[in-house]
Amino acid sequence: MERWVPFRRSRQDKVVDLVRRVADAGDPGEHGQGVEVVVEAPRTKWWRALFNRDDTLAQARIVVTREGGEVRYPFDIQLVTAYGAGAAHRLGTRPGWAVSNSAGMAFVIQKGTHRTGFDFEELTAGAVAALARLRRKPQERGWRARIDRDITRR
């Protein structure tokens, strides 16, 4: 397992580098089903978690490569939060993006075409922005990211 890379919410360049590294390698992952970059928001303060009933870690799992190491649009970002499958619909939409509640999981999806090239900065910004919005008053520090090569999809 890769180590966690800490970053500030306003400085996402380390996460963009992780996404780009996976995409450039066309990494199929350990099981040939793709690789994700996991972005994790800091835990909420204990007293806020108590009143909001949210002490879980919030993650955005960016699907960078798919089966066989393929890199293509649309890019899916699975949101793993206390809001469950309804998390994506709490966000609303932004231009070039869609939201989905599929099979009990929440996703935000970056749309695009291969003709325009891949916008990994926007992909990363979308993942962090989604977590920040779901977290309410998110901290600047305490964010982290890592590459997950041990993916098995149904």
Side-chain angles (χ1 to χ4, degrees):
M1 181 190 308
E2 293 260 343
R3 64 178 178 78
W4 288 101
V5 175
F7 70 97
R8 289 175 178 238
R9 186 167 53 102
S10 62
R11 297 280 318 218
Q12 302 167 19
D13 51 321
K14 292 178 183 178
V15 184
V16 174
D17 289 344
L18 291 177
V19 171
R20 206 172 257 126
R21 189 168 83 200
V22 171
D24 288 347
D27 190 344
E30 291 180 20
H31 306 288
Q33 296 183 7
V35 176
E36 297 175 356
V37 171
V38 181
V39 177
E40 196 170 85
R43 285 195 183 271
T44 55
K45 304 266 190 231
W46 69 268
W47 50 270
R48 187 173 288 152
L50 178 69
F51 292 113
N52 293 331
R53 297 188 186 120
D54 179 10
D55 62 351
T56 62
L57 287 176
Q59 290 186 342
R61 302 185 64 87
I62 305 170
V63 178
V64 181
T65 61
R66 298 171 188 273
E67 189 170 332
E70 180 184 19
V71 180
R72 66 174 170 84
Y73 281 109
F75 286 102
D76 299 335
I77 302 170
Q78 181 186 1
L79 299 174
V80 182
T81 69
Y83 298 111
H89 294 289
R90 289 177 166 271
L91 300 173
T93 58
R94 55 194 262 181
W97 291 80
V99 295
S100 174
N101 172 348
S102 177
M105 296 181 285
F107 290 92
V108 290
I109 302 154
Q110 182 191 33
K111 302 181 286 183
T113 66
H114 293 295
R115 289 177 272 136
T116 59
F118 299 120
D119 189 350
F120 295 132
E121 290 82 7
E122 174 64 14
L123 179 61
T124 301
V128 172
L131 289 178
R133 182 149 183 203
L134 291 170
R135 266 298 188 225
R136 303 179 193 140
K137 299 183 182 179
Q139 299 175 38
E140 173 67 15
R141 296 178 183 207
W143 293 76
R144 61 188 193 164
R146 70 175 172 83
I147 296 171
D148 187 354
R149 298 187 69 251
D150 190 25
I151 303 300
T152 53
R153 298 191 177 107
R154 296 176 204 172

